Amino acid sequence: MKIDQFNFAGKKAIVRVDFNVPLDENGNVTDDTRIRGALPTLKKILSDGGSVIMMSHMGKPKGKVNPKFSLSQIVGKVSERLGVDVKFADDCANASAAAAALKLGEALLLENLRFYAEEEGKPIGVEKGTPEYDAAKKEMKEKQKAFAQKLASYADVYVNDAFGTLTANTLQLRSSPISSLPTLKCWAS
């Protein structure tokens, strides 16, 4: 299915984007190629009359909050490129209220997913190859499911557009691996 054939009217779409962009020492975006790469998908959702919730990672904060890797630094650039005032949720796993308040035609950027260890799924502080690691890995899998379900609860549909430097113009509709949300997987042709 081509993205132009799907109608986002009245829907909240949570979109996995690749906004892992380079920043200078002052937190300014030095190359916005990845932001520009997601624009066709994001603009399509908004122009259809939907709202968009963007989620991404930046850097490798290893499951800990690190202001150096905060996506708050790119809100201005994303707003400028998208052409709408992008709202920001400073905790991706606790953004239910921000997502619920989002009106049609509005956009929300969630804080760095990698501020949660569940994003990468690697146990922290446990030596690999030990029984403790195996138990921690199993526990992490359950935490990952809960984390994904929380993120999915913010929207009606999930769009995977984490192809920052590609033009996403086709979709594959299938059930979501993270919830009961329909998944639109963007592919470049």
Side-chain angles (χ1 to χ4, degrees):
M1 170 186 289
K2 292 197 179 270
I3 192 168
D4 292 340
Q5 296 169 328
F6 191 85
N7 189 349
F8 291 93
K11 300 203 183 306
K12 285 185 183 172
I14 189 161
V15 183
R16 178 62 189 241
V17 292
D18 181 1
F19 286 172
N20 190 16
V21 296
L23 304 173
D24 66 17
E25 63 279 350
N26 298 316
N28 298 308
V29 176
T30 59
D31 180 353
D32 68 354
T33 302
R34 291 178 178 197
I35 294 169
R36 288 184 285 116
L39 292 177
T41 297
L42 301 174
K43 287 183 175 184
K44 162 67 170 142
I45 294 165
L46 295 174
S47 70
D48 277 1
S51 57
V52 65
I53 302 165
M54 298 163 278
M55 59 182 178
S56 182
H57 75 274
M58 179 180 282
K60 295 183 180 182
K62 300 186 182 189
K64 300 203 185 306
V65 175
N66 182 336
K68 176 181 173 185
F69 299 118
S70 176
L71 290 173
S72 65
Q73 300 171 96
I74 70 167
V75 171
K77 182 58 78 174
V78 176
S79 295
E80 174 189 324
R81 291 295 186 198
L82 189 54
V84 299
D85 220 9
V86 174
K87 300 171 187 307
F88 184 70
D90 61 4
D91 184 344
C92 64
N94 291 294
S96 297
L102 201 61
K103 294 181 176 83
L104 299 176
E106 292 184 333
L108 173 69
L109 177 62
L110 302 179
E111 181 57 279
N112 193 339
L113 295 171
R114 286 191 179 166
F115 284 177
Y116 283 84
E118 291 86 345
E119 165 64 9
E120 291 190 78
K122 298 176 186 172
I124 297 173
V126 184
E127 189 175 330
K128 197 171 186 176
T130 64
E132 294 82 12
Y133 182 86
D134 293 340
K137 184 78 171 169
K138 184 177 180 181
E139 181 183 353
M140 180 57 76
K141 289 287 182 200
E142 292 305 312
K143 287 181 176 181
Q144 281 184 295
K145 287 179 190 173
F147 183 64
Q149 288 173 344
K150 179 65 172 177
L151 295 170
S153 74
Y154 302 154
D156 304 306
V157 64
Y158 168 68
V159 180
N160 185 359
D161 191 329
F163 307 99
T165 58
L166 301 176
T167 302
N169 61 7
T170 61
L171 299 172
Q172 177 185 11
L173 187 59
R174 60 184 178 81
S175 71
S176 174
I178 62 171
S179 73
S180 60
L181 291 182
T183 298
L184 300 176
K185 195 167 188 178
C186 299
W187 295 102
S189 58

